Amino acid sequence: MITLEQLEQYEPITIQCHDNPDGDAIASGFGLYTYFKEKGKDVRLIYSGRNRIKKANLTLMLSLLDIPITHVEPQEEPIEGLLITVDCQYGAGNVTKLPAEQVAIIDHHQVEITDVKMCRIEPTFGSCSTLVWKMFLEAGYRVTNMRLGTALYYGLYTDTSQLTEIFNPNDMDMRDQIIHDGEQIRHLKQTNLSLEEMEIAGLALLRSIYNADYHYAVIKTKPCDPNLLGLISDFLIQVAEINSCIVYNEQEDGYKLSVRSCSKEAHANDIAAYVTEGIGSGGGHIDKAGGFINRKLYEKQYTTLHTQAFMGNRMAEFFDNNQTIYAADGDLNTSDMREYCRKSVSFGYIDPLDIFPLGTPTTIRSMAGDLKLLIDGEHYIMIGMRGEVYLRCKEQFLNQNNMVRKRFKLPAALEYNPVIRNDNDGSMRGLIAYAKSCVSIGDIRVYAKKLKKTVKIFPANDEEHVLFGKPGDYLCVRKDNPQDVYVVEKEQFTLFYRRAGRRMQNEV
Ligand SMILES: [Mn+2]
């Protein structure tokens, strides 16, 4: 994993966006350009390929923010010093390969090129602008230049359908923290689409596939700016008969999709995660989400299936397979479940009252996204050994765990350290520092089964903090409390639970 400090060793530095650069490629390239310029480096920002930048929003972006990008023709002479391809991977199909003495890659697409050593690829980041911003933070560089902040913000905006399809916490952090000129962003928004794209949207709407059983629609559009996908799906979801939809199209390396839902049982982020599972990534909010499917992985798994059929099938499967459990009813059928004992395991727990006062509205941000918590004195924040964050009612918690008055320590570093934000004043605290250790009481009896369908559980007394389970996870209910229903991931389950009675037999 490269850092900006390492790249600073080279001179001169050339930063290359992919051919037909979009807002994110230009913004992230401009970010690196500005950084190296401030370090006194000889640096230039370029792109190549047959087409020149001509889309209205992009030419406006270049002039508003004074971005010095130039078009170059392919050349045989190697580029001196270091060439960094940004928002793309050197040698991939969407970027003209320019010979160079040294090459580095900074990108957020699926890994396609593996023979470049100096490389930083984060496929779960919503934009390459976010990755550049993160690398700034790591290098101790703060964005104070308004033009640069506005560019990076617009890069994220254009790559996440107007910020609606964000699911990586790093993207959320940049969205919330980076300085930007609201007036200029408004100006850029009004120039988003071309007449050609208006026509693409019109044609796409005429060719929608509608499923009357589940009230969903699927649309494939011609190649276009990914922003358009979000706009079309925003339009579709307003149609009375349509309660959820996927709008997608084909890109160089796969399929980009935009998901909307207004159904209580089928959230857009769940649909996006389900459709892309194993072949890409997806997520977002309950009403708006997005995702990406990697072409190679798709073609490996579905050799002959047409993508439109695939999307439709996955949607139907999602609805067929979705079970909702209201734990308060206490009537979960356990006849197909087996009895297990929970071993005693350690967790971290945090009393939010140790961080912010009673009544504070907060947002807990972790790799799994944002979780809203109004500090009510009734919940603990739990941290699992892999950094997973969830809430537990204090009463339930005390029944199941013994507190150990020790600081909690994670066995390994996390990809993103969870934070809690005070929504009143925006102040943030790292969660791990407040965590204490606890050990679950062993030998708690549960009924459990491996899930074949996705489930959604509305916990008793706590219906707003919905739990989700996917096929392969275990659905558990406590033997002594049929209202205590929850889901445990497969790996965790095998670690922490054993079949009731098994050990006895083995010991004998
Ligand atoms: Mn991008």
Side-chain angles (χ1 to χ4, degrees):
M1 206 165 78
I2 46 155
T3 62
L4 291 174
E5 281 97 338
Q6 279 167 282
L7 298 176
E8 268 167 65
Q9 310 301 315
Y10 297 89
E11 187 152 19
I13 298 174
T14 301
I15 299 155
Q16 183 187 6
C17 303
H18 52 75
D19 300 358
N20 301 309
D22 56 8
D24 182 42
I26 296 171
S28 44
F30 179 52
L32 292 174
Y33 172 88
T34 311
Y35 176 86
F36 291 124
K37 195 90 193 163
E38 284 186 22
K39 298 281 168 185
K41 292 276 154 185
D42 175 6
V43 55
R44 62 187 182 129
L45 177 59
I46 62 161
Y47 71 104
S48 188
R50 220 180 313 146
N51 307 316
R52 305 294 173 103
I53 295 172
K54 65 170 200 295
K55 268 202 71 189
N57 63 326
L58 300 179
T59 51
L60 180 66
M61 177 185 184
L62 298 188
S63 65
L64 271 184
L65 305 175
D66 199 12
I67 297 176
I69 189 169
T70 51
H71 180 269
V72 301
E73 295 296 340
Q75 55 178 64
E76 264 157 43
E77 196 60 18
I79 286 179
E80 241 187 281
L82 175 67
L83 173 72
I84 307 172
T85 66
V86 70
D87 198 30
C88 60
Q89 296 166 34
Y90 186 79
N94 63 341
V95 56
T96 301
K97 193 168 183 176
L98 303 172
E101 287 176 356
Q102 288 290 337
V103 177
I105 291 173
I106 295 178
D107 188 27
H108 74 125
H109 294 88
Q110 298 283 320
V111 178
E112 200 183 332
I113 301 295
T114 49
D115 60 356
V116 173
K117 254 177 95 187
M118 281 197 287
C119 126
R120 178 85 182 254
I121 302 176
E122 301 279 1
T124 64
F125 279 46
S127 74
C128 196
S129 299
T130 309
L131 176 53
V132 167
W133 179 74
K134 177 112 196 257
M135 292 175 81
F136 285 168
L137 292 185
E138 289 165 1
Y141 176 81
R142 297 231 145 242
V143 176
T144 51
N145 173 336
M146 185 68 93
R147 278 164 52 221
L148 173 58
T150 305
L152 293 174
Y153 186 87
Y154 187 63
L156 178 65
Y157 177 90
T158 54
D159 255 26
T160 57
S161 281
Q162 291 96 4
L163 308 176
T164 59
E165 295 170 2
I166 287 178
F167 53 89
N168 185 297
N170 293 290
D171 296 314
M172 299 176 190
D173 283 347
M174 185 171 90
R175 175 196 67 198
D176 298 346
Q177 290 167 28
I178 198 159
I179 55 158
H180 59 276
D181 184 328
E183 194 52 50
Q184 289 185 332
I185 292 290
R186 250 189 304 282
H187 196 166
L188 286 164
K189 282 183 195 175
Q190 285 152 11
T191 326
N192 250 345
L193 300 175
S194 61
L195 284 170
E196 194 190 338
E197 284 170 327
M198 185 176 80
E199 206 170 292
I200 290 175
L203 285 174
L205 289 171
L206 290 175
R207 293 177 193 156
S208 75
I209 293 171
Y210 172 66
N211 179 304
D213 294 332
Y214 294 122
H215 299 277
Y216 67 77
V218 174
I219 284 187
K220 182 182 183 185
T221 78
K222 290 211 287 190
C224 62
D225 190 300
N227 264 292
L228 195 63
L229 301 178
L231 293 174
I232 298 171
S233 53
D234 281 336
F235 180 90
L236 284 184
I237 205 65
Q238 295 178 52
V239 175
E241 287 83 356
I242 296 174
N243 294 339
S244 57
C245 63
I246 294 184
V247 179
Y248 77 101
N249 70 12
E250 210 166 328
Q251 314 250 321
E252 199 72 42
D253 49 348
Y255 305 92
K256 178 141 176 100
L257 48 121
S258 177
V259 181
R260 297 291 182 270
S261 173
C262 56
S263 146
K264 197 181 161 207
E265 272 73 39
H267 289 169
N269 49 349
D270 298 333
I271 296 175
Y274 185 78
V275 170
T276 56
E277 196 184 347
I279 48 173
S281 59
H285 307 272
I286 57 174
D287 53 347
K288 300 182 180 203
F292 189 81
I293 290 173
N294 178 296
R295 180 196 302 280
K296 280 194 190 132
L297 294 176
Y298 177 85
E299 285 172 355
K300 218 166 136 189
Q301 275 201 40
Y302 306 96
T303 33
T304 57
L305 190 62
H306 190 278
T307 52
Q308 237 156 326
F310 167 80
M311 299 285 175
N313 292 351
R314 284 299 273 181
M315 282 293 259
E317 266 169 47
F318 179 85
F319 286 101
D320 284 339
N321 287 340
N322 206 339
Q323 183 195 359
T324 303
I325 296 168
Y326 293 92
D329 297 346
D331 61 357
L332 190 68
N333 178 3
T334 54
S335 63
D336 60 345
M337 297 169 103
R338 284 177 163 158
E339 193 175 332
Y340 291 83
C341 276
R342 196 171 69 176
K343 302 176 201 168
S344 100
V345 282
S346 16
F347 292 95
Y349 76 97
I350 295 150
D351 189 343
L353 286 172
D354 290 344
I355 312 177
F356 295 123
L358 193 70
T360 312
T362 66
T363 303
I364 298 163
R365 183 165 294 168
S366 72
M367 212 44 209
D370 277 3
L371 197 64
K372 290 279 177 196
L373 172 71
L374 177 71
I375 296 187
D376 54 7
E378 285 169 23
H379 290 88
Y380 281 128
I381 303 166
M382 308 291 295
I383 298 196
M385 278 307 191
R386 292 174 309 153
E388 63 277 22
V389 175
Y390 52 98
L391 298 172
R392 221 50 180 137
C393 282
K394 279 189 181 173
E395 200 191 306
Q396 232 175 22
F397 173 84
L398 295 170
N399 284 334
Q400 293 180 354
N401 300 281
N402 285 321
M403 278 112 140
V404 185
R405 302 250 164 240
K406 229 175 38 182
R407 262 203 59 197
F408 173 69
K409 267 218 167 118
L410 282 164
L414 297 178
E415 204 178 325
Y416 181 89
N417 282 314
V419 292
I420 183 166
R421 185 184 67 200
N422 179 333
D423 291 338
N424 286 333
D425 62 12
S427 60
M428 301 224 265
R429 304 272 193 282
L431 269 182
I432 305 289
Y434 292 92
K436 292 174 201 153
S437 290
C438 64
V439 177
S440 65
I441 295 166
D443 275 0
I444 282 179
R445 302 271 164 154
V446 303
Y447 296 114
K449 70 168 176 187
K450 202 174 189 167
L451 284 169
K452 291 197 182 87
K453 300 173 167 196
T454 48
V455 294
K456 175 171 294 188
I457 301 165
F458 292 90
N461 310 321
D462 200 16
E463 293 206 352
E464 61 199 284
H465 296 118
V466 184
L467 307 171
F468 299 98
K470 54 181 188 307
D473 292 346
Y474 282 79
L475 176 68
C476 304
V477 53
R478 268 185 70 157
K479 196 177 173 183
D480 59 356
N481 179 7
Q483 288 189 323
D484 192 355
V485 183
Y486 55 95
V487 169
V488 180
E489 278 184 32
K490 190 178 157 197
E491 304 87 62
Q492 301 264 311
F493 189 83
T494 39
L495 271 178
F496 301 147
Y497 291 81
R498 61 178 169 79
R499 278 287 297 284
R502 272 277 163 91
R503 194 174 58 183
M504 297 291 286
Q505 287 164 8
N506 289 347
E507 276 171 359
V508 167

